[in-house]
Amino acid sequence: MEKQKKGYLNDDFLLFHLKDQKHQEFEFHYHDFKKIIIFLSGNVTYLIEGKTYHLNPWDVLLINNNELHKPIIDPSVPYERIIIWLNSDFLESHNGKDYDITTCFHLANRKSFNLVRLDAKLLDYLKMVINGLTESMNSNEFANSLLSNTFLIQLLIYLNRIVLEQKNINEHQALKYDKQIEEILRYINNNLSSDISIEKLSDVFYINRYHLMHKFKDETGYSIHNYVIQKRLIQSLEYINQGIPITKASELSGFNDYSSFLRSFKKFYNKTPREYFDQNY
């Protein structure tokens, strides 16, 4: 199964308010920017890095750059959502000496928990800010772009306060995952430059290799091999974007030889690394 990078973001941020009712099947994909999803209505389950979230209206998902994810959508009912793409440079420009407005994303990643679910009292303010943001972005009035920026920063500050003060509703029934697979995913992402063969994982986690392969596929939707390769490719893209030569980036990302890196890169992205960067950067 191939995972794809979806969308390109050159603006500070983009907002999409979508409502549709159609049969849609998504592959696992990722972005090189952070994303906020506000689920409004429908029957949708979201898969993010091996965890399954069953969504309620006004649930918020915080999706980090390079996290593999996909929705599973029931086409029998309308699906409405607000999606916000966030440029990393824009976010960094609003950080201060004593605060980082991406903290909520870092915590979501560290805790492997992407869902923000609020009680009715806290939800009122969230709705007000989101409604203000969507209205300002659809307006042609004086300084509407500045007003949109203001509402977006308000939203981020509010989400950070909710997460930092642990005001989330702790509803375990919203989340389905396997604890062992969570530990394996964390191990893989922390050891991309090391040996991550199926035999190695089997030894580290004391699990039969065939059972591990089937369990990983059942819980995450993709094979161990494809997951490791995709994560290494994503890591290599980050290194190359930092100015590290392609050959060195492939080595740092865990590829044993450059030719295997090139084959994997072309298989997943349908172009060479140089062609990819000439087109996208």
Side-chain angles (χ1 to χ4, degrees):
M1 178 188 300
E2 295 186 4
K3 287 63 136 187
Q4 301 175 350
K5 176 181 175 183
K6 296 286 188 181
Y8 303 99
L9 180 59
N10 297 317
D11 300 279
D12 290 338
F13 63 93
L14 291 175
L15 182 146
F16 309 91
H17 188 166
L18 306 172
K19 184 175 182 179
D20 45 46
Q21 183 177 355
K22 57 186 177 181
H23 182 75
Q24 301 178 82
E25 290 189 8
F26 291 86
E27 295 294 327
F28 281 100
H29 62 280
Y30 72 96
H31 312 274
D32 58 9
F33 47 82
K34 291 175 170 49
K35 181 165 76 168
I36 296 173
I37 298 174
I38 300 104
F39 173 70
L40 300 179
S41 66
N43 184 9
V44 176
T45 299
Y46 238 93
L47 278 61
I48 306 174
E49 291 289 344
K51 291 193 172 181
T52 302
Y53 298 89
H54 303 288
L55 301 181
N56 289 342
W58 289 97
D59 277 351
V60 179
L61 290 172
L62 303 172
I63 301 180
N64 281 277
N65 51 308
N66 301 336
E67 286 188 326
L68 297 172
H69 60 281
K70 75 169 184 176
I72 299 175
I73 303 164
D74 177 0
S76 68
V77 291
Y79 172 33
E80 185 175 7
R81 67 278 191 198
I82 294 171
I83 301 173
I84 304 172
W85 293 0
L86 299 163
N87 187 299
S88 295
D89 292 336
F90 170 77
L91 294 174
E92 186 175 343
S93 70
H94 286 83
N95 288 339
K97 291 182 180 179
D98 58 347
Y99 60 86
D100 180 344
I101 61 172
T102 63
T103 296
C104 56
F105 288 95
H106 298 317
L107 289 175
N109 179 259
R110 193 170 75 201
K111 296 179 179 180
S112 298
F113 190 75
N114 300 75
L115 176 66
V116 177
R117 177 173 292 174
L118 304 177
D119 61 29
K121 183 178 179 181
L122 294 173
L123 197 53
D124 287 341
Y125 184 80
L126 180 72
K127 290 179 178 180
M128 181 193 74
V129 174
I130 291 174
N131 289 336
L133 175 59
T134 54
E135 288 176 8
S136 65
M137 293 198 70
N138 292 322
S139 169
N140 292 318
E141 294 184 78
F142 175 78
N144 66 299
S145 60
L146 178 59
L147 185 59
S148 297
N149 282 14
T150 302
F151 276 118
L152 178 67
I153 297 303
Q154 277 185 266
L155 173 62
L156 288 167
I157 291 172
Y158 191 60
L159 290 174
N160 273 285
R161 289 179 176 178
I162 293 294
V163 172
L164 285 167
E165 296 169 19
Q166 299 182 350
K167 293 182 178 180
N168 277 11
I169 295 177
N170 188 14
E171 293 193 15
H172 293 290
Q173 65 266 30
L175 176 64
K176 176 183 176 293
Y177 72 103
D178 183 279
K179 183 66 177 176
Q180 188 175 48
I181 294 298
E182 178 188 34
E183 293 173 356
I184 292 170
L185 287 168
R186 185 177 294 110
Y187 179 89
I188 291 172
N189 282 286
N190 290 336
N191 295 277
L192 288 172
S193 61
S194 305
D195 172 29
I196 316 181
S197 64
I198 294 172
E199 290 76 14
K200 175 70 173 180
L201 293 173
S202 177
D203 290 341
V204 170
F205 291 95
Y206 304 102
I207 181 172
N208 177 275
R209 64 190 302 270
Y210 297 105
H211 179 61
L212 170 61
M213 292 165 62
H214 288 294
K215 187 176 184 180
F216 194 94
K217 177 76 171 180
D218 289 343
E219 292 294 330
T220 67
Y222 31 82
S223 70
I224 293 174
H225 175 75
N226 274 358
Y227 183 84
V228 171
I229 292 296
Q230 182 68 49
K231 283 292 185 170
R232 283 176 168 165
L233 289 172
I234 292 170
Q235 182 68 75
S236 72
L237 288 174
E238 290 191 345
Y239 283 138
I240 296 169
N241 200 36
Q242 294 168 14
I244 296 174
I246 294 175
T247 51
K248 184 64 176 177
S250 69
E251 179 185 337
L252 291 173
S253 302
F255 288 93
N256 292 326
D257 62 84
Y258 188 61
S259 60
S260 66
F261 165 71
L262 287 178
R263 284 196 303 271
S264 297
F265 197 101
K266 196 160 187 180
K267 176 183 176 182
F268 277 93
Y269 299 111
N270 296 316
K271 50 180 70 70
T272 67
R274 197 161 300 282
E275 290 170 343
Y276 180 92
F277 273 84
D278 287 345
Q279 178 178 336
N280 300 320
Y281 292 92

